[in-house]
Amino acid sequence: MNEDDARALTPGIPEYSRSRHFLRVMDGVPYTLYRSTYNAIWEQRGSPQDQMDWTNPDVWIAERISGDEKTLARRVWEESRHELNPRYLRGSWYLTTKHDLLVRDPRDILSITERGRLFLDEPTGHVVAEIDSYEGILTILQIVAEKGPGKRSDLLPAFTSFCQTFTSYRSESVIKGALYDRLTNLIAREYILRRSQTYRITDKGLVYLERYANLVPGRKAGGKQSKLRRLTKDISEDAREQLGEYLAQMDPFKFEELIKFLLEEMGYTDVETTSPTHDKGVDVVANIDLGISSVREVIQVKRHRGNINRTVLDQLRGSLHRFDAMRGTIITTGGFSRGTIRAAFERGAAPITLIDGEKLLDLLIEREIGVTKNTIEYIDFDVNKLTQFESEEAEGPEV
């Protein structure tokens, strides 16, 4: 691809719900007012040594800006129902202006275009799909469908290939950031589900991908690939369910041994199960390296279908000093009550990590404990690998 044709992706691409709020608020606003509001906020951004706190617009809008700029900032915050922080408008500005959703009219007033109206009214419509195609979001959805469940590192090589073929992005750090932002966008739209450190496509995401597969740049995915994705997704979900049922039926002591093995695979050292009759609410004790320090941790293991209540957490926290531990973890095949979740990181108390049944399955599957990951190999036509021969400068022999 010629460098002049390379796509300039939207930096810090936001969730589309936030861009929709941005569009609605900015329609009819003078461009000069938007610009002065942005500049008034930007000038107070601070420095790495003296950082400003922008987390609560209800506070900083009143303290740091005034006049019409203050009014516009407050509109953004309130009319977005506290979803769009006025400090972070750049991504929405780039997205909406780059893709002709918002323009400056002859009076220099910002105005929503017809494409912008379609972006607002049709969240799964063709305008949104065209933007997804240009921005590499459809490409990422296809990558996740083919390689998921997987970590970002598993998805990065294919997205890097897209960026190097179709965009101006070359820096590894920039590409990593773009991948993260676009995954966040897809998660917000419920096209991708993130569990632990892995990403997988949802049924909703598969439907959307199949609908707009023809807009994925380069390699096209046909109906056969879509059927294969659905089949592998169903097989994986069946295996996950079977693993969960197996854990629920395990002997409690064997379950503790399984958790011991999992912790060792996660990098814990000196992992030991305690005596069943003298465990004092602790089933496993282990060390974990945090930075340059080694921390002693106690783990309570519960093969339990229901919710764990706060009594279990309090018992574990009260046992820390008996094992010279700094923190604790509760691992269960079930879930946790709201009171337990609130108490886990109570201010002034030792932190207790909570791992429920779904998170436990994620950790086991990620390390291939109780499952086997299989690979289906097939070849696809890939035009991306032929673009070097399509340069206008390339000349063949005269015939």
Side-chain angles (χ1 to χ4, degrees):
M1 174 175 289
N2 189 301
E3 287 189 10
D4 293 337
D5 298 326
R7 305 178 187 193
L9 302 185
T10 299
I13 193 167
E15 297 173 12
Y16 286 169
S17 61
R18 296 179 180 177
S19 294
R20 291 188 175 96
H21 288 309
F22 179 81
L23 273 176
R24 292 187 181 100
V25 173
M26 292 300 156
D27 189 34
V29 171
Y31 169 73
T32 53
L33 176 56
Y34 162 74
R35 197 72 228 176
S36 63
T37 302
Y38 179 87
N39 289 340
I41 296 171
W42 179 253
E43 289 168 359
Q44 301 181 60
R45 65 190 182 279
S47 66
Q49 295 75 29
D50 183 23
Q51 296 187 10
M52 303 291 285
D53 183 4
W54 300 97
T55 56
N56 190 350
D58 285 323
V59 174
W60 68 255
I61 290 175
E63 293 178 348
R64 299 176 192 169
I65 52 178
S66 59
D68 292 340
E69 290 78 9
K70 177 180 177 180
T71 301
L72 180 58
R74 191 170 295 283
R75 278 191 62 202
V76 169
W77 180 236
E78 293 178 352
E79 293 182 24
S80 70
R81 299 177 182 175
H82 295 182
E83 184 178 350
L84 181 58
N85 188 327
R87 168 64 179 85
Y88 306 107
L89 300 180
R90 187 177 68 163
S92 290
W93 171 260
Y94 279 135
L95 180 77
T96 56
T97 55
K98 172 187 287 294
H99 294 287
D100 297 323
L101 311 179
L102 186 71
V103 297
R104 296 159 63 179
D105 70 12
R107 299 168 299 155
D108 217 20
I109 302 296
L110 298 177
S111 177
I112 298 178
T113 65
E114 181 59 32
R115 278 175 58 84
R117 296 290 176 193
L118 292 173
F119 179 82
L120 289 174
D121 298 337
E122 300 178 5
T124 61
H126 205 273
V127 169
V128 174
E130 287 177 355
I131 295 172
D132 284 340
S133 175
Y134 182 95
E135 295 286 349
I137 291 175
L138 270 176
T139 297
I140 292 174
L141 193 60
Q142 179 170 284
I143 293 169
V144 174
E146 294 175 348
K147 300 186 179 299
K151 298 180 180 179
R152 281 207 305 274
S153 57
D154 300 323
L155 313 176
L156 183 60
F159 184 62
T160 298
S161 177
F162 162 81
C163 288
Q164 293 177 343
T165 303
F166 294 102
T167 81
S168 58
Y169 284 6
R170 296 294 179 270
S171 164
E172 182 179 359
S173 62
V174 171
I175 293 172
K176 284 182 176 179
L179 174 60
Y180 177 82
D181 292 337
R182 284 153 179 77
L183 285 170
T184 301
N185 177 292
L186 287 165
I187 291 170
R189 295 156 70 186
E190 299 180 343
Y191 291 163
I192 284 178
L193 177 65
R194 178 181 177 180
R195 284 178 174 160
S196 185
Q197 300 298 315
T198 62
Y199 300 84
R200 68 190 71 203
I201 193 167
T202 64
D203 288 337
K204 186 176 178 180
L206 277 173
V207 170
Y208 183 74
L209 179 59
E210 290 167 2
R211 181 179 179 185
Y212 294 111
N214 63 309
L215 294 181
V216 178
R219 185 164 56 87
K220 305 299 180 186
K224 292 180 180 179
Q225 289 93 332
S226 296
K227 291 178 181 178
L228 183 59
R229 290 192 197 105
R230 288 190 175 276
L231 179 60
T232 56
K233 183 175 181 293
D234 289 343
I235 292 173
S236 296
E237 289 179 351
D238 286 346
R240 182 185 180 92
E241 184 177 341
Q242 291 174 41
L243 178 59
E245 288 299 322
Y246 183 89
L247 296 181
Q249 302 297 326
M250 279 189 79
D251 174 85
F253 300 119
K254 295 296 184 182
F255 185 59
E256 290 178 13
E257 290 296 327
L258 173 65
I259 298 303
K260 176 179 181 291
F261 178 69
L262 171 62
L263 293 172
E264 290 171 339
E265 290 294 299
M266 293 174 62
Y268 284 78
T269 59
D270 301 321
V271 185
E272 298 177 355
T273 54
T274 61
S275 169
T277 56
H278 300 92
D279 61 19
K280 301 181 179 65
V282 173
D283 297 310
V284 183
V285 183
N287 293 329
I288 183 67
D289 290 335
L290 298 176
I292 61 175
S293 302
S294 180
V295 175
R296 192 71 166 163
E297 185 169 339
V298 294
I299 298 95
Q300 174 72 285
V301 178
K302 291 288 186 182
R303 189 181 57 78
H304 187 73
R305 286 188 181 272
N307 285 338
I308 301 297
N309 60 40
R310 178 168 177 170
T311 303
V312 175
L313 183 145
D314 291 338
Q315 182 184 27
L316 181 64
R317 187 172 273 156
S319 298
L320 294 180
H321 69 280
R322 297 189 180 98
F323 295 88
D324 294 325
M326 298 295 295
R327 66 182 198 177
T329 296
I330 302 174
I331 301 176
T332 178
T333 53
F336 297 96
S337 68
R338 292 183 179 178
T340 307
I341 295 171
R342 285 195 298 267
F345 287 91
E346 215 167 38
R347 183 173 297 180
I352 304 294
T353 301
L354 304 179
I355 297 179
D356 63 13
E358 291 300 316
K359 173 74 170 179
L360 175 59
L361 289 174
D362 291 337
L363 294 173
L364 291 169
I365 292 170
E366 185 177 329
R367 289 157 182 83
E368 295 191 53
I369 301 174
V371 299
T372 298
K373 292 183 180 179
N374 299 305
T375 301
I376 299 175
E377 290 190 1
Y378 62 92
I379 62 171
D380 260 340
F381 172 66
D382 191 349
V383 71
N384 298 348
K385 296 184 177 180
L386 298 173
T387 54
Q388 60 178 309
F389 304 108
E390 297 179 357
S391 171
E392 293 182 1
E393 288 77 14
E395 296 183 0
E398 293 184 4
V399 293

